Amino acid sequence: MTDEALPATPGYRGRFAPSPTGPLHFGSLLAAVASYADARAHAGVWLLRIEDLDRPREVPGAAEDIQRTLRAFGFDWDEPVVYQHDRSEAYQGALSRLESLGLAYPCGCSRAEIARVARIGVDGPIYPGTCRDGLPRDRRPRSLRMRTDARCARFTDRVQGEQAQVIEEAVGDFVLRRADGMHAYQLAVVVDDAWQRITHVVRGADLLASTPRQILLQQVLGLPHPSQAHIPVILDDQGRKLSKSLASAPVDPGDPLPALRLAWRALGQTPLDGLGSPSGFWKQATEQWRIERVPPCRSLPLRGLERQ
Ligand code: GLU
């Protein structure tokens, strides 16, 4: 049975934003497939952004390698690739704005000092607030932090449903610029999504707990809120997230169809027939994609999928 194509969503702009810390692995492919299928099914634009803020963690050649692999898998992006390393002025502008609003403050604590006293929250140690009301006299500023409060951030995720988080409780005052001068992911992603006029974010559920911080930054900076969809992350045999930094097996650009099929199945979609080539896959995938079929769970074991 063939589903009718979804209606076009005027102005839809989606993106895939890999970090170049290694070759594309199956977990990233899943996020790329979901965001591309969702964009194309709505007759939308799809963009590629290389999140290379963390220069020390970058693997030389990985950004080009990821793009070659994406092309072999039949992805194509509609505008020139954006590299975060070119965007520091924009991040600095947003930081200055937060400082002038009294929302960003200098912090002199080291990670080790924080780890000694902090409770653990959804994303590591919760900052205990030591420098919140001014740097202690013997301290020099290291990082810049965002002042959070007790309000509850709520949003409806297209896959995971209703979400609520009190950022102050779950995360605490979070870093906007690190001690080494690097702008934090949370700030950069918000500035870039707004600059690229992203309307729909589709990405891994490991970032679900980050979304309230991003919504807060969008609110205070007066930026639009893109709609959110967080797809399950894929776990390896030890129950760890497949990630480039764990040197998980990269997907094979010489044989894209098996991985595309497996990704499609992992995303809960109806099997496609007679594919032949990545472009054949995408033609059908664009017509058949239904985000409601994506399992609303945070993670899926790779092994379970391969056995099906
Ligand atoms: N760069 C992030 C990653 O590779 C994704 C960020 C995002 O999609 O917001 O996990």
Side-chain angles (χ1 to χ4, degrees), residues 31 122-123 160 185 203-211 213 230-234 241-243 298-299:
V122 293
D123 213 1
Q160 308 283 339
Y185 157 72
R203 62 184 175 190
D206 51 328
L207 293 167
L208 193 60
S210 288
T211 307
R213 273 168 276 175
H230 287 80
I231 60 155
V233 296
I234 303 293
K241 182 191 143 194
L242 283 195
S243 78
R298 306 277 175 96
S299 60

Side-chain angles (χ1 to χ4, degrees), residues 117-140:
V117 292
R119 271 192 306 126
I120 298 297
V122 293
D123 213 1
I126 300 178
Y127 181 61
T130 321
C131 303
R132 208 167 200 240
D133 301 317
L135 270 181
R137 217 181 281 156
D138 54 336
R139 288 298 171 120
R140 57 174 189 84

Side-chain angles (χ1 to χ4, degrees), residues 161-176:
E162 296 300 313
Q163 305 293 318
Q165 186 190 76
V166 176
I167 306 173
E168 188 182 46
E169 271 291 301
V171 185
D173 290 356
F174 54 93
V175 172
L176 295 167

Side-chain angles (χ1 to χ4, degrees), residues 35-50:
S35 70
Y36 192 71
D38 199 60
R40 295 307 191 215
H42 291 90
V45 162
W46 190 76
L47 306 177
L48 179 62
R49 180 168 74 228
I50 300 290

Side-chain angles (χ1 to χ4, degrees), residues 15-20 28 49 51 84 185 189 193 201-204 206-207 214 241 244:
R15 54 40 161 208
F16 176 53
S19 310
S28 295
R49 180 168 74 228
E51 299 212 321
Q84 288 194 323
Y185 157 72
V189 76
D193 281 343
V201 170
V202 180
R203 62 184 175 190
D206 51 328
L207 293 167
Q214 295 169 16
K241 182 191 143 194
K244 291 157 277 197

